[in-house]
């Protein structure tokens, strides 16, 4: 294997190249190579200045994340960067691509910085449950204000090269594809000027208002609820302001190590790799997706409009079909409003908006307008009869080779495909509401779906900036099947004594973006009701069925859309709806249930045990290929806290045996609902984790 770091002499300039594809991560071999190169350049009398640059598509995108969790190996990054900074010969760093984490910290340790205009620079460690652990929290506030440092480090979002120039992080921009040459030219300029080393660590920190840190911590306690890394970032930055550089650096290192050992770090890095692994499927390896330029969307309701906007924003041409002229007008207006929202958020400029409405988007009530589309996505009412009718029409109209997709959230994709003459072209593309915002796309692969149709689903998701997860056909696929199951578990907890608000509060404290009852109110209670009615004929007589949710709907409470549901929504505020408790109490009385105190921990335990148990079944049945596919689904479509890594990662963290123990405990109350999944029992018997099934 070629060495990842090389040193060449170019006149008086020592040129150090880092070549460790794909992102030049700072693996131990790179750190060793850099140390040797810097030492060699220091000793070489012919060298007057040093340039460091990255080969390939980017400078260094950070530490090698794969090394985290393994025993650390020398040379460590903070020491290496100190060594670079200590160089008596000026060190220039030439930046392009993504300059992130340890890569950015290394750049801060160099003396002069030149960047290509499209460079992105940032410290995303917090998104991995870490803090910048190689001097980033100490050097950055010596170049920019402490406020800006806090924003960059606690949010983790990168900044543009223009902004970095304005802030004084970089010295100049160079419009070129050859950053090596730009670095050498800058070094030669500096040699000619007689420029010396310029050490960021020797600069004073910018002055701050004393209350700045407390205010920032209070904000983070809300915006980053449950997460430990953002607050540790604050401690490290405060250290930069209050301590001499060396002490601040030592404190940063200690805090970094603490985070490195945390469950949140493991969970967030699991999420990072799972999201990159989820699209790697043997069935589509090497398979070319079909070409998609024109999309048809059937149905202009919330989902159809969201799918339309998502498609338009990714450059596709869209024809939307609605029932009649009036519905067509309504759909055009909904789509236009969503696009205006994109303009307001800066995702679309006015010219592009005008162009889309003039030439990329049209709506019609005649299916014949879909004759040319490469992909038709059905987003109509969730009824098998209605869907089969739509697919019969699509099959008759759409050209050969066009993909026919259903946005169904529960229904049998094979049964839908069966009404067409081309089941191999049929697939489920389950978008999540609002479809132009939510990241998840469940790609539901039917029995006869062709591999290139599956590959197209994944390619479409990528084009839309979404994350696709492969799901097999079953009622509710991965996400909604798990949801239906944990809903039964929490409805059971309500009958046993907890109130919906207690459940929501306990799960929000656990880290969910919203509690499940608040989510139901938002989605519309009629949706779950219709679904429960659909599956009612097949309900097992042994199931303990809680019917307070149905009663609530029968009384016309559909959640936010009617102003009342589990909560009363008024004037932008939501209060618990007292009628719900009356319904629940009536049901408890009717069923002769003696209520008891159910604390927040038990609510979380029930919720997680139900989720993990059903997920284990889903993996065992092959509906989800691996546990990581379940995690990616729950993280991106169901508001599961990313810093817990997903339900399977959570199960591994607390131990699959603890989940099994809980299931057996709850089974004493309802042994039909709480039957352990065979896969979970097997893992416990063999002492294995869910992660062991991800390979
Ligand atoms: C850090 O630096 C800590 C320091 O403060 C202190 C240390 C003491 N390591 O995302 P992509 C892989 S923490 C190892 O698909 P893109 C990735 O898994 C780090 N591998 O491409 C994938 O592999 P595969 C701070 C990495 O173009 C391949 O590269 N830095 C790393 O869409 C391509 O990745 C970060 O948090 C890594 N650091 O996006 C940056 N990064 O092909 C994390 C990527 O086998 N990285 N890989 O699936 C990113 O944000 C994106 O990868 C990046 C490229 C924007 C760079």
């Amino acid at each position: 294997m070629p060495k990842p770091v090389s040193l060449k002499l170019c006149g008086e300039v020592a040129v150090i190249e880092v070549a460790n594809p794909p992102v030049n991560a700072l693996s131990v071999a790179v750190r060793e190579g850099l140390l040797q190169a810097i030492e060699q350049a220091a000793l070489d009398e012919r060298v007057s200045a040093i340039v460091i640059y990255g080969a390939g598509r980017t400078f260094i995108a950070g530490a090698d994340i794969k090394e985290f969790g393994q025993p650390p190996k020398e040379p460590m990054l903070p020491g290496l960067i100190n060594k670079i900074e200590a160089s008596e010969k000026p060190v220039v760093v030439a930046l392009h691509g993504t300059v992130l984490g340890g890569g950015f910290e290394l750049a801060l340790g160099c003396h002069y910085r030149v960047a290509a205009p499209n460079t992105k620079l940032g410290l995303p460690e917090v998104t991995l449950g870490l803090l910048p652990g190689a001097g980033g929290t100490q050097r950055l506030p010596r170049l920019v204000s402490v406020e800006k440092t806090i924003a960059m480090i606690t949010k983790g979002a990168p900044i543009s090269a223009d902004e970095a120039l304005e802030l004084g992080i970089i010295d100049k921009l160079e419009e070129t594809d050859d950053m090596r040459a730009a670095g050498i030219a800058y070094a030669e300029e500096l040699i000619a000027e007689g420029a010396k080393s310029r050490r960021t660590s020797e600069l004073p920190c910018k002055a701050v208002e004393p209350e700045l840190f407390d205010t920032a911590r209070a904000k983070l306690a809300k915006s980053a609820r449950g997460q430990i890394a953002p607050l540790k970032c604050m401690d490290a930055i405060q250290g930069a302001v209050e301590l001499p550089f060396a002490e601040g650096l030592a404190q940063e290192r200690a805090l970094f190590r603490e985070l490195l050992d945390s469950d949140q770090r493991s969970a967030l890095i699991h999420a990072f790799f799972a999201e990159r692994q989820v699209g790697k499927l043997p069935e589509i390896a090497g398979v070319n997706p079909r070409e998609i330029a024109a999309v048809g969307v059937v149905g202009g309701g919330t989902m159809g409009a969201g799918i339309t906007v998502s498609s338009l924003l990714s450059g596709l041409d869209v024809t939307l079909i609605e029932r009649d002229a009036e519905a067509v007008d309504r759909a055009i207006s909904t789509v236009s409003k969503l696009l205006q929202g994109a303009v307001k958020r800066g995702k679309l400029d006015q010219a592009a908006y005008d162009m889309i409405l003039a030439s990329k988007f049209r709506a019609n009530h005649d299916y014949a307008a879909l004759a040319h589309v490469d992909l038709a996505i059905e987003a109509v009412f969730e009824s098998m009869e209605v869907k089969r009718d739509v697919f019969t029409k699509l099959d008759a109209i759409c050209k050969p080779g066009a993909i026919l997709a259903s946005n169904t959230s529960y229904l049998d994709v094979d049964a839908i495909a069966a009404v067409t003459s081309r089941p191999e072209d049929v697939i489920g593309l389950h978008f999540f509401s609002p479809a132009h915002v939510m990241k998840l796309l469940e790609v539901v692969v039917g029995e006869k779906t062709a591999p290139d149709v599956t590959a197209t689903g994944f390619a479409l998701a990528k084009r839309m900036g979404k994350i696709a997860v492969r799901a097999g056909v079953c009622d509710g696929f991965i996400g909604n099947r798990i949801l239906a199951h944990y809903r039964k578990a929490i409805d059971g907890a309500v009958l046993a004594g907890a109130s919906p608000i207690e459940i929501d509060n306990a799960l929000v404290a656990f880290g969910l973006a919203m509690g499940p009852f608040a989510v139901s109110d938002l989605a519309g209670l009629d949706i779950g009701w219709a679904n429960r009615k659909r599956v009612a004929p097949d309900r097992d007589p042994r199931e303990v069925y809680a019917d307070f949710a149905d009663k609530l709907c029968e009384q016309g409470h559909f959640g936010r859309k009617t102003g009342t549901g589990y909560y009363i929504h008024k004037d932008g505020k939501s209060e618990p709806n007292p009628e719900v408790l009356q319904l629940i109490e009536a049901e408890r009385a009717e069923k002769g249930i003696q209520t008891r105190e159910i604390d927040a921990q038990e609510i979380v335990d029930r919720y997680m045990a139900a989720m993990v148990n059903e997920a284990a079944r889903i993996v065992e049945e092959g509906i989800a290929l691996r546990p990581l596919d379940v995690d990616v689904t729950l993280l991106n479509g169901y508001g599961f806290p990313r810093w817990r890594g997903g339900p399977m990662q959570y199960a591994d963290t607390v131990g699959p045996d603890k989940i099994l123990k809980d299931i057996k405990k709850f089974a004493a109350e309802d042994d039909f609902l709480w039957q352990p999944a065979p896969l979970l029992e097997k893992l416990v018997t063999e002492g294995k984790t869910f992660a062991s099934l991800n390979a």
Side-chain angles (χ1 to χ4, degrees), residues 21-23 25-26 57-58 61-68 76-78 98 100-103 105 123-125 127-128 130-136 253 256 269 272-273 276-277 280 462:
V23 298
L26 287 156
R57 64 179 165 117
T58 182
D64 187 340
I65 305 173
K66 288 194 278 310
E67 287 181 0
F68 293 155
M76 309 297 273
L77 193 56
T98 41
L100 300 176
E105 293 176 291
L123 293 166
E125 284 87 343
T127 64
L128 301 173
L130 288 167
L131 53 79
R253 189 72 190 153
F256 177 80
I269 287 186
F272 178 88
F273 284 120
R276 281 156 182 79
Q277 199 62 27
K280 292 182 181 141
K462 190 160 189 195

Short mmCIF file of all heavy atoms in Angstrom, two decimals, residues 21-23 25-26 57-58 61-68 76-78 98 100-103 105 123-125 127-128 130-136 253 256 269 272-273 276-277 280 462, ligand 1:
data_model
loop_
_atom_site.label_atom_id
_atom_site.label_comp_id
_atom_site.label_asym_id
_atom_site.label_seq_id
_atom_site.Cartn_x
_atom_site.Cartn_y
_atom_site.Cartn_z
N PRO A 21 -7.71 8.22 0.70
CA PRO A 21 -9.09 8.27 0.23
C PRO A 21 -10.03 7.45 1.13
O PRO A 21 -9.56 6.54 1.80
CB PRO A 21 -9.02 7.66 -1.18
CG PRO A 21 -7.65 7.16 -1.37
CD PRO A 21 -6.80 7.57 -0.23
N PRO A 22 -11.35 7.75 1.18
CA PRO A 22 -12.00 8.75 0.34
C PRO A 22 -11.98 10.18 0.90
O PRO A 22 -12.15 11.11 0.15
CB PRO A 22 -13.45 8.25 0.31
CG PRO A 22 -13.64 7.52 1.61
CD PRO A 22 -12.31 6.91 1.93
N VAL A 23 -11.73 10.35 2.22
CA VAL A 23 -11.88 11.71 2.76
C VAL A 23 -10.65 12.18 3.53
O VAL A 23 -10.69 13.13 4.29
CB VAL A 23 -13.16 11.84 3.66
CG1 VAL A 23 -14.41 11.58 2.85
CG2 VAL A 23 -13.10 10.94 4.88
N ALA A 25 -9.12 10.96 6.04
CA ALA A 25 -9.28 10.93 7.50
C ALA A 25 -7.91 10.73 8.17
O ALA A 25 -7.02 10.08 7.62
CB ALA A 25 -10.23 9.81 7.89
N LEU A 26 -7.80 11.29 9.37
CA LEU A 26 -6.52 11.29 10.09
C LEU A 26 -6.30 9.97 10.83
O LEU A 26 -6.29 9.93 12.06
CB LEU A 26 -6.50 12.47 11.07
CG LEU A 26 -6.33 13.85 10.43
CD1 LEU A 26 -6.89 14.94 11.34
CD2 LEU A 26 -4.86 14.12 10.13
N ARG A 57 -10.57 14.62 -3.63
CA ARG A 57 -11.70 15.56 -3.68
C ARG A 57 -11.81 16.46 -2.46
O ARG A 57 -12.66 17.35 -2.42
CB ARG A 57 -13.01 14.78 -3.88
CG ARG A 57 -13.36 13.83 -2.75
CD ARG A 57 -14.70 13.14 -3.06
NE ARG A 57 -14.93 12.01 -2.21
CZ ARG A 57 -15.94 11.92 -1.35
NH1 ARG A 57 -16.79 12.91 -1.21
NH2 ARG A 57 -16.09 10.84 -0.62
N THR A 58 -10.99 16.21 -1.45
CA THR A 58 -11.13 17.03 -0.24
C THR A 58 -9.83 17.13 0.55
O THR A 58 -8.94 16.27 0.41
CB THR A 58 -12.24 16.44 0.67
OG1 THR A 58 -12.39 17.29 1.82
CG2 THR A 58 -11.92 15.04 1.15
N ALA A 61 -11.19 15.43 6.25
CA ALA A 61 -12.55 15.59 6.79
C ALA A 61 -12.64 15.19 8.26
O ALA A 61 -13.73 15.04 8.80
CB ALA A 61 -13.54 14.77 5.97
N GLY A 62 -11.50 15.02 8.92
CA GLY A 62 -11.55 14.79 10.37
C GLY A 62 -10.74 13.59 10.80
O GLY A 62 -10.05 12.95 10.00
N ALA A 63 -10.84 13.30 12.10
CA ALA A 63 -10.22 12.10 12.65
C ALA A 63 -10.84 10.89 11.96
O ALA A 63 -11.92 10.99 11.37
CB ALA A 63 -10.47 12.05 14.15
N ASP A 64 -10.18 9.75 12.03
CA ASP A 64 -10.76 8.54 11.45
C ASP A 64 -11.76 7.97 12.46
O ASP A 64 -11.37 7.41 13.49
CB ASP A 64 -9.64 7.52 11.16
CG ASP A 64 -10.18 6.31 10.41
OD1 ASP A 64 -11.41 6.08 10.46
OD2 ASP A 64 -9.38 5.60 9.79
N ILE A 65 -13.03 8.15 12.13
CA ILE A 65 -14.08 7.80 13.10
C ILE A 65 -14.05 6.31 13.43
O ILE A 65 -14.47 5.90 14.51
CB ILE A 65 -15.47 8.19 12.53
CG1 ILE A 65 -15.49 9.67 12.14
CG2 ILE A 65 -16.57 7.94 13.53
CD1 ILE A 65 -16.76 10.08 11.42
N LYS A 66 -13.55 5.52 12.51
CA LYS A 66 -13.51 4.07 12.76
C LYS A 66 -12.57 3.71 13.91
O LYS A 66 -12.70 2.65 14.50
CB LYS A 66 -13.09 3.33 11.47
CG LYS A 66 -14.17 3.35 10.40
CD LYS A 66 -13.92 2.37 9.30
CE LYS A 66 -12.98 2.80 8.23
NZ LYS A 66 -13.05 4.02 7.53
N GLU A 67 -11.64 4.62 14.20
CA GLU A 67 -10.68 4.32 15.29
C GLU A 67 -11.28 4.58 16.66
O GLU A 67 -10.73 4.13 17.68
CB GLU A 67 -9.41 5.16 15.11
CG GLU A 67 -8.53 4.68 13.97
CD GLU A 67 -7.26 5.52 13.82
OE1 GLU A 67 -7.04 6.47 14.59
OE2 GLU A 67 -6.49 5.22 12.89
N PHE A 68 -12.39 5.31 16.73
CA PHE A 68 -12.97 5.63 18.04
C PHE A 68 -13.51 4.35 18.68
O PHE A 68 -14.12 3.52 18.00
CB PHE A 68 -14.09 6.66 17.92
CG PHE A 68 -13.60 8.02 17.49
CD1 PHE A 68 -14.46 8.90 16.84
CD2 PHE A 68 -12.31 8.43 17.73
CE1 PHE A 68 -14.02 10.16 16.44
CE2 PHE A 68 -11.85 9.67 17.33
CZ PHE A 68 -12.71 10.54 16.68
N MET A 76 -0.69 11.08 18.90
CA MET A 76 -2.05 11.60 19.04
C MET A 76 -2.15 12.94 18.31
O MET A 76 -1.17 13.67 18.19
CB MET A 76 -2.38 11.79 20.52
CG MET A 76 -2.10 10.55 21.36
SD MET A 76 -3.11 9.18 20.85
CE MET A 76 -4.48 9.54 21.85
N LEU A 77 -3.36 13.24 17.90
CA LEU A 77 -3.57 14.43 17.06
C LEU A 77 -3.21 15.76 17.77
O LEU A 77 -2.56 16.61 17.16
CB LEU A 77 -5.00 14.45 16.54
CG LEU A 77 -5.27 15.43 15.42
CD1 LEU A 77 -4.34 15.24 14.23
CD2 LEU A 77 -6.72 15.34 14.96
N PRO A 78 -3.62 15.96 19.04
CA PRO A 78 -3.30 17.26 19.65
C PRO A 78 -1.80 17.53 19.67
O PRO A 78 -1.35 18.65 19.35
CB PRO A 78 -3.85 17.14 21.08
CG PRO A 78 -4.85 16.04 21.02
CD PRO A 78 -4.40 15.10 19.94
N THR A 98 -14.05 19.48 2.02
CA THR A 98 -14.60 19.60 3.37
C THR A 98 -13.46 19.55 4.39
O THR A 98 -12.76 18.56 4.50
CB THR A 98 -15.59 18.46 3.65
OG1 THR A 98 -15.06 17.26 3.10
CG2 THR A 98 -16.94 18.74 3.03
N LEU A 100 -12.97 19.45 7.96
CA LEU A 100 -13.85 19.21 9.11
C LEU A 100 -13.09 18.61 10.29
O LEU A 100 -12.07 17.95 10.12
CB LEU A 100 -14.97 18.25 8.72
CG LEU A 100 -15.90 18.71 7.58
CD1 LEU A 100 -16.90 17.61 7.24
CD2 LEU A 100 -16.62 19.99 7.95
N GLY A 101 -13.65 18.85 11.48
CA GLY A 101 -13.14 18.21 12.70
C GLY A 101 -11.64 18.36 12.83
O GLY A 101 -11.09 19.47 12.71
N GLY A 102 -10.96 17.22 13.04
CA GLY A 102 -9.51 17.24 13.19
C GLY A 102 -8.80 17.89 12.01
O GLY A 102 -7.71 18.46 12.17
N GLY A 103 -9.41 17.84 10.82
CA GLY A 103 -8.82 18.48 9.64
C GLY A 103 -8.80 19.99 9.79
O GLY A 103 -7.82 20.67 9.47
N GLU A 105 -8.98 21.49 12.72
CA GLU A 105 -8.09 21.78 13.86
C GLU A 105 -6.64 21.81 13.40
O GLU A 105 -5.86 22.65 13.84
CB GLU A 105 -8.29 20.72 14.95
CG GLU A 105 -9.68 20.82 15.58
CD GLU A 105 -9.94 19.71 16.59
OE1 GLU A 105 -10.06 18.54 16.15
OE2 GLU A 105 -10.01 19.99 17.78
N LEU A 123 -16.57 22.28 12.54
CA LEU A 123 -16.24 21.36 13.64
C LEU A 123 -17.51 20.56 13.97
O LEU A 123 -18.27 20.94 14.86
CB LEU A 123 -15.74 22.16 14.84
CG LEU A 123 -14.38 22.86 14.62
CD1 LEU A 123 -14.09 23.89 15.69
CD2 LEU A 123 -13.23 21.83 14.55
N PRO A 124 -17.77 19.47 13.24
CA PRO A 124 -19.02 18.73 13.43
C PRO A 124 -18.97 17.70 14.56
O PRO A 124 -19.88 16.89 14.69
CB PRO A 124 -19.19 18.02 12.07
CG PRO A 124 -17.80 17.79 11.60
CD PRO A 124 -16.96 18.92 12.14
N GLU A 125 -17.91 17.72 15.39
CA GLU A 125 -17.76 16.68 16.41
C GLU A 125 -19.00 16.49 17.26
O GLU A 125 -19.36 15.38 17.65
CB GLU A 125 -16.56 17.00 17.31
CG GLU A 125 -15.19 16.75 16.68
CD GLU A 125 -14.66 17.92 15.88
OE1 GLU A 125 -15.45 18.83 15.52
OE2 GLU A 125 -13.44 17.92 15.59
N THR A 127 -21.99 16.54 16.55
CA THR A 127 -22.99 15.67 15.92
C THR A 127 -22.63 14.20 16.09
O THR A 127 -23.44 13.32 15.82
CB THR A 127 -23.15 15.97 14.41
OG1 THR A 127 -21.91 15.65 13.76
CG2 THR A 127 -23.51 17.42 14.14
N LEU A 128 -21.41 13.95 16.53
CA LEU A 128 -20.98 12.57 16.81
C LEU A 128 -20.87 12.33 18.31
O LEU A 128 -20.27 11.36 18.76
CB LEU A 128 -19.62 12.30 16.15
CG LEU A 128 -19.54 12.48 14.63
CD1 LEU A 128 -18.10 12.33 14.14
CD2 LEU A 128 -20.43 11.47 13.92
N LEU A 130 -19.24 14.24 20.41
CA LEU A 130 -17.89 14.58 20.85
C LEU A 130 -17.71 16.10 20.90
O LEU A 130 -18.62 16.85 20.55
CB LEU A 130 -16.88 14.02 19.83
CG LEU A 130 -16.70 12.50 19.83
CD1 LEU A 130 -15.93 12.07 18.60
CD2 LEU A 130 -15.97 12.05 21.10
N LEU A 131 -16.51 16.52 21.29
CA LEU A 131 -16.13 17.92 21.11
C LEU A 131 -14.83 17.92 20.33
O LEU A 131 -14.15 16.89 20.26
CB LEU A 131 -16.01 18.65 22.45
CG LEU A 131 -15.13 18.09 23.56
CD1 LEU A 131 -13.66 18.39 23.35
CD2 LEU A 131 -15.55 18.71 24.88
N PRO A 132 -14.48 19.05 19.72
CA PRO A 132 -13.21 19.09 18.99
C PRO A 132 -12.09 18.81 20.00
O PRO A 132 -11.93 19.55 20.96
CB PRO A 132 -13.15 20.53 18.47
CG PRO A 132 -14.58 21.00 18.47
CD PRO A 132 -15.22 20.32 19.64
N GLY A 133 -11.36 17.72 19.81
CA GLY A 133 -10.42 17.27 20.83
C GLY A 133 -8.98 17.47 20.45
O GLY A 133 -8.08 16.89 21.05
N ALA A 134 -8.73 18.29 19.45
CA ALA A 134 -7.33 18.52 19.06
C ALA A 134 -7.07 20.03 18.95
O ALA A 134 -6.48 20.52 17.99
CB ALA A 134 -7.02 17.81 17.75
N GLY A 135 -7.58 20.74 19.96
CA GLY A 135 -7.27 22.17 20.05
C GLY A 135 -8.32 23.08 19.43
O GLY A 135 -8.22 24.31 19.54
N GLY A 136 -9.34 22.53 18.80
CA GLY A 136 -10.35 23.36 18.13
C GLY A 136 -11.06 24.31 19.08
O GLY A 136 -11.31 25.47 18.73
N ARG A 253 -8.82 18.01 26.32
CA ARG A 253 -8.48 16.60 26.09
C ARG A 253 -9.23 15.70 27.08
O ARG A 253 -9.78 14.66 26.71
CB ARG A 253 -6.97 16.43 26.25
CG ARG A 253 -6.45 15.08 25.83
CD ARG A 253 -6.50 14.94 24.32
NE ARG A 253 -6.23 13.57 23.91
CZ ARG A 253 -6.68 13.05 22.78
NH1 ARG A 253 -7.41 13.76 21.95
NH2 ARG A 253 -6.39 11.81 22.46
N PHE A 256 -12.83 15.56 26.12
CA PHE A 256 -12.97 14.75 24.90
C PHE A 256 -12.96 13.27 25.25
O PHE A 256 -13.80 12.49 24.78
CB PHE A 256 -11.81 15.09 23.93
CG PHE A 256 -11.81 14.27 22.67
CD1 PHE A 256 -12.66 14.58 21.61
CD2 PHE A 256 -10.95 13.18 22.53
CE1 PHE A 256 -12.66 13.82 20.44
CE2 PHE A 256 -10.95 12.42 21.37
CZ PHE A 256 -11.80 12.74 20.32
N ILE A 269 -22.22 7.72 16.48
CA ILE A 269 -21.35 7.18 15.43
C ILE A 269 -22.00 5.96 14.78
O ILE A 269 -21.90 5.76 13.57
CB ILE A 269 -19.93 6.92 15.99
CG1 ILE A 269 -19.28 8.29 16.20
CG2 ILE A 269 -19.12 6.04 15.04
CD1 ILE A 269 -17.85 8.31 16.60
N PHE A 272 -24.23 7.44 12.25
CA PHE A 272 -23.46 7.93 11.09
C PHE A 272 -23.16 6.78 10.12
O PHE A 272 -23.44 6.87 8.92
CB PHE A 272 -22.15 8.57 11.58
CG PHE A 272 -21.24 9.07 10.47
CD1 PHE A 272 -21.38 10.35 9.97
CD2 PHE A 272 -20.25 8.25 9.92
CE1 PHE A 272 -20.54 10.81 8.94
CE2 PHE A 272 -19.41 8.70 8.90
CZ PHE A 272 -19.56 9.99 8.41
N PHE A 273 -22.63 5.69 10.65
CA PHE A 273 -22.27 4.58 9.76
C PHE A 273 -23.51 3.84 9.26
O PHE A 273 -23.54 3.40 8.11
CB PHE A 273 -21.28 3.63 10.44
CG PHE A 273 -19.88 4.18 10.48
CD1 PHE A 273 -19.21 4.39 11.67
CD2 PHE A 273 -19.22 4.51 9.30
CE1 PHE A 273 -17.92 4.92 11.70
CE2 PHE A 273 -17.92 5.04 9.31
CZ PHE A 273 -17.28 5.24 10.52
N ARG A 276 -24.90 5.29 6.23
CA ARG A 276 -24.12 5.04 5.02
C ARG A 276 -24.19 3.58 4.59
O ARG A 276 -24.00 3.26 3.43
CB ARG A 276 -22.67 5.49 5.25
CG ARG A 276 -22.60 7.01 5.11
CD ARG A 276 -21.45 7.65 5.82
NE ARG A 276 -21.55 9.10 5.64
CZ ARG A 276 -22.37 9.89 6.33
NH1 ARG A 276 -23.15 9.39 7.26
NH2 ARG A 276 -22.40 11.19 6.09
N GLN A 277 -24.50 2.71 5.54
CA GLN A 277 -24.57 1.27 5.27
C GLN A 277 -25.92 0.89 4.67
O GLN A 277 -26.02 -0.07 3.90
CB GLN A 277 -24.38 0.55 6.61
CG GLN A 277 -23.97 -0.90 6.53
CD GLN A 277 -22.62 -1.09 5.86
OE1 GLN A 277 -21.78 -0.20 5.88
NE2 GLN A 277 -22.45 -2.23 5.20
N LYS A 280 -26.43 -0.01 1.10
CA LYS A 280 -25.56 -1.04 0.50
C LYS A 280 -26.27 -2.39 0.56
O LYS A 280 -26.30 -3.05 1.58
CB LYS A 280 -24.23 -1.09 1.23
CG LYS A 280 -23.44 0.18 0.97
CD LYS A 280 -22.08 0.19 1.62
CE LYS A 280 -21.41 1.53 1.31
NZ LYS A 280 -20.66 2.09 2.39
N LYS A 462 -31.74 9.49 -2.96
CA LYS A 462 -30.48 10.23 -2.91
C LYS A 462 -30.64 11.58 -3.62
O LYS A 462 -30.22 12.62 -3.11
CB LYS A 462 -29.38 9.39 -3.58
CG LYS A 462 -28.03 9.95 -3.36
CD LYS A 462 -26.94 8.93 -3.56
CE LYS A 462 -25.64 9.57 -3.10
NZ LYS A 462 -24.49 8.87 -3.52
C1 LIG B 1 -12.88 14.43 14.85
O1 LIG B 1 -12.31 14.92 13.92
C2 LIG B 1 -12.35 14.46 16.24
C3 LIG B 1 -11.26 15.47 16.47
O2 LIG B 1 -11.81 16.69 16.91
C4 LIG B 1 -10.34 15.08 17.58
C5 LIG B 1 -9.55 13.85 17.44
C6 LIG B 1 -8.55 13.67 18.55
N1 LIG B 1 -13.59 8.76 9.31
O3 LIG B 1 -20.39 10.60 3.84
P1 LIG B 1 -19.85 9.93 2.64
C7 LIG B 1 -16.26 7.55 5.11
S1 LIG B 1 -14.34 13.64 14.65
C8 LIG B 1 -13.70 7.58 8.69
O4 LIG B 1 -20.66 8.86 2.02
P2 LIG B 1 -19.99 12.43 1.22
C9 LIG B 1 -17.74 7.19 5.09
O5 LIG B 1 -18.05 6.27 6.09
C10 LIG B 1 -14.64 13.64 12.91
N2 LIG B 1 -14.47 7.40 7.59
O6 LIG B 1 -19.42 10.98 1.50
C11 LIG B 1 -17.88 6.64 3.69
O7 LIG B 1 -17.37 5.32 3.71
P3 LIG B 1 -18.00 4.19 2.78
C12 LIG B 1 -15.15 14.92 12.44
C13 LIG B 1 -15.13 8.46 7.13
O8 LIG B 1 -19.22 12.93 0.09
C14 LIG B 1 -16.93 7.51 2.88
O9 LIG B 1 -16.00 8.07 3.82
N3 LIG B 1 -15.50 14.82 11.04
C15 LIG B 1 -15.05 9.70 7.75
O10 LIG B 1 -21.48 12.40 1.17
C16 LIG B 1 -17.61 8.64 2.14
O11 LIG B 1 -18.42 9.36 3.06
C17 LIG B 1 -16.75 14.48 10.66
O12 LIG B 1 -17.64 14.31 11.46
C18 LIG B 1 -14.23 9.84 8.88
N4 LIG B 1 -14.08 11.01 9.51
O13 LIG B 1 -19.63 13.28 2.51
C19 LIG B 1 -16.98 14.37 9.18
N5 LIG B 1 -15.84 10.57 7.07
O14 LIG B 1 -17.80 4.68 1.39
C20 LIG B 1 -17.72 13.11 8.85
C21 LIG B 1 -16.36 9.88 6.04
O15 LIG B 1 -17.23 2.97 3.13
N6 LIG B 1 -17.90 12.93 7.42
N7 LIG B 1 -15.95 8.61 6.08
O16 LIG B 1 -19.45 4.13 3.17
C22 LIG B 1 -18.81 13.62 6.71
O17 LIG B 1 -19.50 14.49 7.20
C23 LIG B 1 -18.96 13.24 5.26
O18 LIG B 1 -18.46 11.94 5.10
C24 LIG B 1 -18.23 14.17 4.27
C25 LIG B 1 -18.29 13.55 2.85
C26 LIG B 1 -18.92 15.53 4.27
C27 LIG B 1 -16.77 14.33 4.63
#
